[in-house]
Amino acid sequence: MPTPPTEPTGRPTPAEGRPARRTILAAAAAAVPAAGLLSAQSAAAAPASATPGGAGAGRAADPDLGPNVVVFDPATPDIQAKLDEIFSKQEKAQFGTGRYALFFKPGTYNGLNAQLGFYTAIAGLGLVPDDTTINGDVTVDAGWFDGNATQNFWRSAENLALVPVSGSNRWAVSQAAPFRRMHVRGDLNLAPDGYGWASGGYIADSRIDGKVTPYSQQQWYTRDSSVGGWENAVWNMVFSGVEGAPGDSFPEPPYTTLQTTPVSREKPFLYLDGEEFKVFVPEKRTDARGTTWGSGTPRGTSLPLSEFYVVKEGADAAAINDALGQGLNLLFTPGIYHVDRAIEVTRANTVVLGLGYATLIPDNGVTALKVADVDGVRLAGLLLDAGSTNSETLLEVGPDGASADHAENPITVQDVFIRIGGAGPGKATTSMVINSRHTVVDHTWVWRADHGDGVGWETNRADYGVRVEGDDVLATGLFVEHFNKYDVQWNGERGRTIFYQNEKAYDAPDQAAIQNGDLKGFAAYKVADSVTTHEGWGLGSYCFYNVDPTIRQGHGFAAPNAPGVKFHHLLVVSLGGKGQYDHVINDLGDPTSGEDTVPSKIVQYP
């Protein structure tokens, strides 16, 4: 185990000798029940809380957004005490049941340090981040886990301006922890105190006036933002549409930089229009660069809460589908929702927005969420947690054979996370299936759990992470880990991926368990042999076969040898020598070897 640098001067050692990120460490704390905290608003009016289509006034003083939505304004007393109370419940509750959304009305707040634990989302309620300024910090650190940030999952910050007390805000996260629409008037530190391990992460539509200092972060993706500088890189730092990003320089330093993002559309968000709550739905951009809000009011559409069914714990799939059938959008309040049939989104331009990591659990092997082959559906801010009975799929975007052209108004899947096991036994043959053309998957972590409850090679069996059948699909910020077979299987034409992070399943019992015909193991990212056009930038796969360290993984990536199939900046890494890769892609690239945790890289394929 290396000794991390003790001072933030210069570039840290690139993870040499780094052992596995998570499973070699103890699992996090036991489940914590929801706190039953009252919202800062009156519950006098409950828009669409019981009867689909029912609507309250939607004003700041009266909507009922559930017991675990807390709204502050600058005059709210004891804000810090309330923040500390929630953090004390959520700091170690990795697989707990608490879910929280913390909202700050426009204005200025002084002297706050909002520490974020699991399943906690913090956001401003202005139309742009600078409407809501915190003279203080929004902090994620890893004291709960002895300075190791590799399990700092499921938390988010959005739509705030921060003036950090020390000049630098600490955001030491790993997967499923987006940093969106933020303005940091200072530096942003992505490492935990003490420079322990971290394995994030994602930034979008944000401005950091100072430097971003990743230090020990193994990989990171930043999209459509502005930074004052970037300090270093370990394995895989990817940028698209980022003003101030370092130049493209892979393999050393390992920066992958695209000047623009081909297609992007920011995540919908809750905000206050005067005293009325609304949901802002940003418009699509092509060849995007920089933030959506830097030149003033962002472009998009505002929807009143009267057009939403506000879903609260206890609502079932029948009621939710009834609301969708009446033409309403969905706003899931923080909570856990068991569904005994699929939630079916059939209307074009429907918004399905979750607050505070609202969690859907399918019962009896059903698919949790299905989207028809229609234009412009927005799925955002949800956690899909597999049930104990195997589901064939958890999320289906478009039915089998979907073929409609959605180029002008694509379906978007943003901050939608999937988990198989960890909180208890869960199974799903395929986690996410994308059938609809032109879908944009913008930041997802699809995870077969490698620690927690209900974890084992067959206990939380999940063969495939993401399967793409539709043509012209774009993935920006794709994290998929630990599946029994292919983590990503891409069958559609003209697919594109900007940034991919993967770990092969740690718990394979032996070589025979992962054998794929004549091949040693299933690729982390497989492009079908029939595909003629595909492109990817900044993709990495890691292995840590701790049950049987003699396992050989034939390659991290597999793709046809076709002129239109191109990859830029690929790497594979053996973590501490627990298993090895023979090649990077197909039969190309040097094998990994020894215990040095040094990547094998390919700059271009072919």
Side-chain angles (χ1 to χ4, degrees):
M1 182 181 299
T3 301
T6 56
E7 297 292 335
T9 55
R11 178 174 169 168
T13 303
E16 294 179 2
R18 187 184 304 275
R21 296 165 40 237
R22 291 191 281 272
T23 51
I24 60 173
L25 302 166
V32 176
L37 186 67
L38 291 176
S39 170
Q41 280 79 33
S42 164
S49 63
T51 303
R59 299 182 62 80
D62 61 19
D64 179 3
L65 298 177
N68 291 326
V69 170
V70 185
V71 180
F72 301 106
D73 64 45
T76 301
D78 300 323
I79 295 176
Q80 187 65 55
K82 185 60 66 179
L83 295 173
D84 291 346
E85 174 191 337
I86 294 170
F87 179 64
S88 70
K89 292 178 172 68
Q90 299 304 111
E91 181 184 12
K92 300 179 181 180
Q94 183 172 178
F95 299 112
T97 58
R99 303 288 188 271
Y100 293 94
L102 312 177
F103 287 107
F104 287 75
K105 293 182 183 180
T108 300
Y109 301 79
N110 296 314
L112 297 181
N113 180 19
Q115 300 182 81
L116 299 188
F118 289 98
Y119 314 109
T120 305
I122 189 171
L125 285 170
L127 190 56
V128 298
D130 289 328
D131 288 343
T132 311
T133 298
I134 294 178
N135 289 309
D137 298 81
V138 172
T139 301
V140 178
D141 205 347
W144 74 278
F145 206 43
D146 298 324
N148 183 325
T150 59
Q151 293 186 25
N152 280 352
F153 314 139
W154 304 307
R155 62 202 75 195
S156 66
E158 297 187 38
N159 208 27
L160 292 165
L162 304 178
V163 184
V165 170
S166 68
S168 181
N169 188 81
R170 187 182 303 278
W171 186 256
V173 299
S174 287
Q175 289 80 2
F179 197 80
R180 287 184 180 271
R181 296 179 56 78
M182 295 290 287
H183 184 188
V184 180
R185 300 176 194 165
D187 296 336
L188 182 64
N189 184 348
L190 304 180
D193 186 29
Y195 306 97
W197 307 318
S199 186
Y202 175 91
I203 294 170
D205 201 24
S206 293
R207 176 178 171 182
I208 293 87
D209 292 344
K211 284 186 176 182
V212 179
T213 53
Y215 298 123
S216 54
Q217 279 286 354
Q218 294 166 344
Q219 71 279 314
W220 200 276
Y221 175 52
T222 307
R223 178 182 63 71
D224 299 351
S225 294
S226 174
V227 299
W230 194 276
E231 186 71 21
N232 70 278
V234 175
W235 289 339
N236 192 30
M237 299 289 174
V238 180
F239 309 83
S240 68
V242 179
E243 298 167 345
D248 192 74
S249 59
F250 192 93
E252 284 299 330
Y255 293 131
T256 299
T257 303
L258 288 73
Q259 292 303 304
T260 61
T261 304
V263 180
S264 65
R265 187 167 59 189
E266 299 305 327
K267 176 184 172 186
F269 60 92
L270 193 67
Y271 81 106
L272 277 172
D273 182 4
E275 290 295 307
E276 184 178 359
F277 275 101
K278 293 183 178 179
V279 172
F280 190 78
V281 185
E283 71 174 22
K284 186 189 76 171
R285 297 196 292 170
T286 56
D287 297 321
R289 181 171 174 83
T291 68
T292 62
W293 48 270
S295 300
T297 303
R299 297 176 64 88
T301 303
S302 290
L303 303 176
L305 281 194
S306 59
E307 296 183 11
F308 284 81
Y309 175 39
V310 179
V311 191
K312 299 175 191 170
E313 282 192 294
D316 60 16
I320 294 168
N321 283 333
D322 189 15
L324 289 168
Q326 295 187 37
L328 293 172
N329 303 294
L330 300 179
L331 183 67
F332 281 90
T333 63
I336 297 175
Y337 301 86
H338 282 264
V339 294
D340 60 359
R341 68 196 72 177
I343 296 171
E344 300 199 44
V345 180
T346 60
R347 179 178 60 86
N349 301 311
T350 300
V351 176
V352 179
L353 177 61
L355 306 179
Y357 288 83
T359 302
L360 305 180
I361 302 177
D363 294 332
N364 305 317
V366 303
T367 297
L369 184 58
K370 292 183 178 182
V371 179
D373 194 24
V374 295
D375 273 357
V377 172
R378 323 289 180 95
L379 305 181
L382 295 169
L383 173 60
L384 276 56
D385 209 350
S388 57
T389 300
N390 184 73
S391 295
E392 282 299 310
T393 61
L394 294 174
L395 172 61
E396 180 184 279
V397 179
D400 289 345
S403 59
D405 187 317
H406 303 295
E408 294 303 313
N409 189 10
I411 298 167
T412 52
V413 180
Q414 299 179 284
D415 298 348
V416 174
F417 309 118
I418 295 179
R419 179 172 66 192
I420 317 290
K427 293 184 178 182
T429 303
T430 304
S431 292
M432 181 187 299
V433 178
I434 307 295
N435 292 312
S436 287
R437 296 180 59 195
H438 302 102
T439 298
V440 177
V441 181
D442 175 45
H443 190 226
T444 187
W445 183 39
V446 181
W447 184 55
R448 175 181 169 264
D450 60 275
H451 63 273
D453 294 331
V455 172
W457 184 248
E458 296 295 343
T459 305
N460 62 328
R461 182 84 192 186
D463 284 348
Y464 308 105
V466 175
R467 193 177 82 242
V468 180
E469 300 291 346
D471 295 338
D472 307 294
V473 171
L474 171 65
T476 53
L478 185 60
F479 299 73
V480 187
E481 297 186 307
H482 305 308
F483 286 84
N484 296 76
K485 293 184 178 179
Y486 290 122
D487 298 278
V488 170
Q489 190 173 15
W490 206 298
N491 300 327
E493 284 284 2
R494 296 177 299 280
R496 292 174 291 181
T497 295
I498 303 173
F499 182 88
Y500 175 64
Q501 186 264 325
N502 165 263
E503 288 181 350
K504 295 303 298 174
Y506 290 172
D507 55 346
D510 51 38
Q511 187 76 45
I514 66 163
Q515 196 67 14
N516 181 15
D518 295 333
L519 298 175
K520 301 174 187 174
F522 291 79
Y525 189 107
K526 164 69 173 176
V527 180
D529 294 341
S530 61
V531 169
T532 61
T533 305
H534 188 92
E535 195 160 10
W537 296 262
L539 289 76
S541 177
Y542 320 152
C543 76
F544 181 75
Y545 288 116
N546 61 318
V547 176
D548 181 358
T550 69
I551 289 176
R552 305 289 305 190
Q553 177 75 27
H555 45 228
F557 302 90
N561 183 9
V565 177
K566 302 175 183 179
F567 287 96
H568 316 272
H569 306 176
L570 300 171
L571 65 90
V572 295
V573 181
S574 169
L575 299 173
K578 306 295 186 183
Q580 300 291 345
Y581 291 90
D582 290 339
H583 302 287
V584 179
I585 182 168
N586 298 345
D587 58 357
L588 302 176
D590 294 335
T592 58
S593 62
E595 301 179 0
D596 293 334
T597 314
V598 174
S600 177
K601 302 176 181 179
I602 282 185
V603 177
Q604 301 288 346
Y605 171 85

